Amino acid sequence: MEVEVTSNTSKALALANILVNGIESLIFDCSCSDAYIDVEFSSLEDLLGSDINVNLSECEYRPDKYFELDDLVDYGLVNSVNVSLGSSGTNYKVLYDEAIKTTLKWAIPYMKLTSLKTRRSGIEYMLIVLRDGKAEVLEGEVDRVVIPEVNAVVTVHTHSTLCIPSTTDMKSLTNLLIDGGLGFGIVSPTCYLLIFRVGPFTEEDLITLKNLITPEDLIVYPRKYLSNDLIVITGY
């Protein structure tokens, strides 16, 4: 069973994902030192329907293509995108922080209520945000729900008791990050866990995830960097 739960919040998460991926592609392609968003905003939703101006700093080459940024207009998430050379505006990495805040404010409480059904029946559910901003809640099976083969931005799924990721959960997270997604979460009636990237997903991050002794190691830290660009957040 699938239930669509698309909202401005899910669209804002997709916008953030596409924006950081596009900017990081430009930084790499043009050999830039950093990038900035020259638009005033206090939340990700403020960026919906706006004119996005991206400033690239200290680049060896001028940009001649926009990579993933073109998808922002194609999906109707923003009005326009412009890329220039400069250093004015807000550092683009604030988008990662805003994506985590948005997930904690929207997806975690929403799925925490859904986890009450999991505690009663054992059936797990997953909220999945897609690259175009659409969002769905998928119904899985007892003790199991699997991310479909789609480009996901964020997923949050339910457990009945502990928020400890299984080996399968960690493999799904790794695949999501390799494909350019932001991260995933687990919720139960009594806890939650998030693992998000806050920069490009690197080989170091991949090795970090593979070398975790046990998934239980993740649950002991309220907020901890697993590597320079991977963070785990837990709570109740």
Side-chain angles (χ1 to χ4, degrees):
M1 182 181 70
E2 300 177 3
V3 177
E4 184 171 352
V5 291
T6 302
S7 65
N8 280 346
T9 308
S10 65
K11 292 177 181 178
L13 282 170
L15 184 156
N17 191 194
I18 295 171
L19 196 48
V20 295
N21 287 353
I23 289 174
E24 286 165 355
S25 293
L26 284 166
I27 289 174
F28 178 81
D29 189 65
C30 300
S31 297
C32 307
S33 65
D34 214 336
Y36 303 85
I37 306 165
D38 200 6
V39 181
E40 291 188 8
F41 65 98
S42 58
S43 71
L44 293 180
E45 290 188 25
D46 291 343
L47 296 173
L48 291 172
S50 67
D51 296 302
I52 300 290
N53 298 303
V54 175
N55 285 327
L56 301 176
S57 178
E58 299 179 4
C59 303
E60 293 186 16
Y61 310 101
R62 296 188 68 87
D64 58 5
K65 53 186 175 181
Y66 284 5
F67 295 95
E68 296 94 332
L69 296 183
D70 288 328
D71 292 338
L72 290 170
V73 177
D74 293 343
Y75 291 147
L77 298 174
V78 303
N79 182 54
S80 66
V81 180
N82 180 64
V83 178
S84 305
L85 299 180
S87 57
S88 63
T90 303
N91 190 279
Y92 84 96
K93 284 199 170 184
V94 74
L95 294 168
Y96 286 112
D97 295 331
E98 290 299 323
I100 291 171
K101 291 177 185 176
T102 300
T103 303
L104 287 169
K105 184 178 179 180
W106 170 64
I108 294 301
Y110 185 91
M111 293 306 289
K112 205 169 190 54
L113 289 174
T114 306
S115 72
L116 295 173
K117 294 195 292 186
T118 301
R119 184 168 63 180
R120 290 193 298 267
S121 66
I123 295 174
E124 294 187 359
Y125 297 84
M126 176 182 289
L127 169 64
I128 180 168
V129 178
L130 305 175
R131 292 291 167 84
D132 60 2
K134 292 180 181 177
E136 296 178 342
V137 174
L138 312 178
E139 181 179 320
E141 303 171 3
V142 173
D143 296 329
R144 184 172 182 268
V145 62
V146 179
I147 301 176
E149 293 185 8
V150 295
N151 288 327
V153 172
V154 171
T155 69
V156 178
H157 71 277
T158 62
H159 280 187
S160 57
T161 53
L162 300 178
C163 296
I164 297 175
S166 65
T167 301
T168 300
D169 290 337
M170 294 304 292
K171 288 180 180 178
S172 295
L173 170 63
T174 300
N175 290 335
L176 183 149
L177 295 174
I178 288 173
D179 289 339
L182 292 175
F184 92 153
I186 298 172
V187 297
S188 82
T190 58
C191 60
Y192 68 80
L193 175 144
L194 290 181
I195 302 177
F196 265 62
R197 65 180 175 96
V198 291
F201 187 63
T202 64
E203 185 175 354
E204 176 195 353
D205 299 326
L206 179 61
I207 293 171
T208 297
L209 289 180
K210 287 184 175 180
N211 287 345
L212 286 173
I213 299 174
T214 63
E216 287 87 344
D217 295 334
L218 297 169
I219 204 70
V220 299
Y221 303 109
R223 188 180 184 99
K224 179 179 176 65
Y225 281 90
L226 300 175
S227 64
N228 287 337
D229 292 318
L230 276 182
I231 189 170
V232 56
I233 301 168
T234 61
Y236 299 94

